[in-house]
Amino acid sequence: QLFFSYFKELVGKEVTVELKNDLAIRGTLHSVDQYLNIKLENTRVVDQDKYPHMLSVRNCFIRGSVVRYVLLPQDGVDIDILHDATRREARGG
Amino acid sequence: MSWAGPDEILLSTSLAGFLDKKLIVLLRDGRKLLGTLCSFDQFANVVLQGACERVIVGELYCDVPLGLYVIRGENVVLIGELVIISCAL
């Protein structure tokens, strides 16, 4: 639930989602759900030449289970707030 | 249970916004299936109408027609909305 809330805060920001199959997609975070499924808008694939089938895709739904990394903007994180939330979550869990 | 209204669909992460749209579904085994979304569920199980598999080799591609397909959600990597870009030939 912590990361679900965290990602909800990042809606509207530019992120790069790297998948377990090595595909990396840059886009605007449109929405996230309890499974950490991600919907991205305005998508561009990082290595476009390697994945020609993705050229006409502008919005996509990414299943949470296939995400390896979500790369965030440097200033997208308030570290202190994240630390506090983590401590709270750890105490409650 | 109440159905999500059009506003909620636009803001949510469900696949409802993709219904009746032409999609490309990437599978875990590397296959690319194209088709129109008929149905889905919470596991991302998906029903595609007029499905075809796009086989790409270098610069060339070809579509293998498959018909009506039910895809188990655990095999789904990504579902992308295809925007048909028409270009002057």
Side-chain angles (χ1 to χ4, degrees):
Chain A
Q1 280 293 73
L2 190 160
F3 279 93
F4 176 34
S5 314
Y6 176 60
F7 281 127
K8 279 201 282 195
E9 294 295 307
L10 291 171
V11 167
K13 298 249 165 56
E14 273 273 300
V15 296
T16 302
V17 182
E18 184 176 317
L19 306 179
K20 289 180 185 169
N21 66 357
D22 291 343
L23 176 63
I25 303 166
R26 191 173 177 78
T28 314
L29 185 62
H30 171 270
S31 54
V32 67
D33 66 11
Q34 51 175 321
Y35 305 114
L36 304 187
N37 293 331
I38 289 171
K39 250 199 196 169
L40 288 182
E41 298 209 310
N42 255 311
T43 53
R44 289 140 279 150
V45 174
V46 170
D47 198 349
Q48 193 82 59
D49 301 321
K50 199 169 170 201
Y51 303 100
H53 51 280
M54 293 293 298
L55 260 157
S56 21
V57 177
R58 282 291 164 270
N59 311 312
C60 65
F61 165 94
I62 301 171
R63 202 172 193 267
S65 60
V66 304
V67 174
R68 183 187 291 143
Y69 304 125
V70 178
L71 309 175
L72 309 167
Q74 285 279 48
D75 51 356
V77 188
D78 188 327
I79 303 278
D80 297 321
I81 295 185
L82 193 58
H83 281 173
D84 292 338
T86 309
R87 272 178 231 118
R88 261 180 277 127
E89 182 89 1
R91 249 179 272 133
Chain B
M1 179 180 81
S2 57
W3 291 104
D7 300 324
E8 290 152 351
I9 290 178
L10 282 166
L11 296 165
S12 70
T13 312
S14 82
L15 291 167
F18 286 168
L19 281 171
D20 295 326
K21 296 243 164 81
K22 187 92 199 279
L23 307 173
I24 181 168
V25 182
L26 298 185
L27 300 182
R28 285 217 307 238
D29 62 5
R31 274 189 275 194
K32 303 130 198 135
L33 299 184
L34 286 83
T36 311
L37 185 67
C38 284
S39 186
F40 65 93
D41 68 4
Q42 70 269 36
F43 303 110
N45 294 327
V46 149
V47 178
L48 286 183
Q49 194 171 48
C52 57
E53 180 185 345
R54 184 154 288 181
V55 179
I56 301 174
V57 179
E59 296 264 309
L60 307 165
Y61 78 90
C62 122
D63 286 348
V64 181
L66 302 167
L68 189 64
Y69 248 48
V70 177
I71 305 171
R72 189 177 162 86
E74 64 171 315
N75 297 294
V76 171
V77 168
L78 175 156
I79 299 178
E81 189 182 348
L82 287 172
V83 177
I84 312 297
I85 305 163
S86 55
C87 49
L89 287 168

